[in-house]
Amino acid sequence: MWVKCHTTLLDHRKLRRTASQLRIKEVALRGHLITLWLNVLNHAPDGILDDWSEEDIAHYAQWDGDSHLFVFSLIDTNWLDDDDGTLIIHNWESHSERLRMSKVRKQNK
């Protein structure tokens, strides 16, 4: 399986803003985001992190710093959506399109 990743991730304003908040380099944040997305694909393929704690999110992103700061920054810069306390990967449907199509094909068989 794979996650769709656009070239805009190289220099997106959200990436710059989040890296600045976390006081890390943009290249490091890209690694944390992609690592998180790949783990979400494996462990929460619908992108809904309803039973994930901040520590879980930090762990699956391989973030070693303050997990609350990490999650807060991802919410603040719209990498994560907070739906009444349930965290959801922002625009997950568009990033996991191939997974969705694979499920549709299996259901149609």
Side-chain angles (χ1 to χ4, degrees), residues 5 15 42 45 52 67 70 73 76 88 97-98 106 109:
C5 181
L15 186 86
N42 281 333
W52 289 33
S67 57
F70 182 68
S73 295
D76 187 53
I88 303 166
E97 185 176 325
R98 186 174 173 98
K106 282 183 183 178
K109 285 186 176 184

Side-chain angles (χ1 to χ4, degrees), residues 6-18:
H6 293 273
T7 57
T8 56
L9 188 59
L10 290 171
D11 193 28
H12 198 284
R13 68 185 177 284
K14 285 173 39 172
L15 186 86
R16 288 192 311 269
R17 212 173 314 152
T18 311

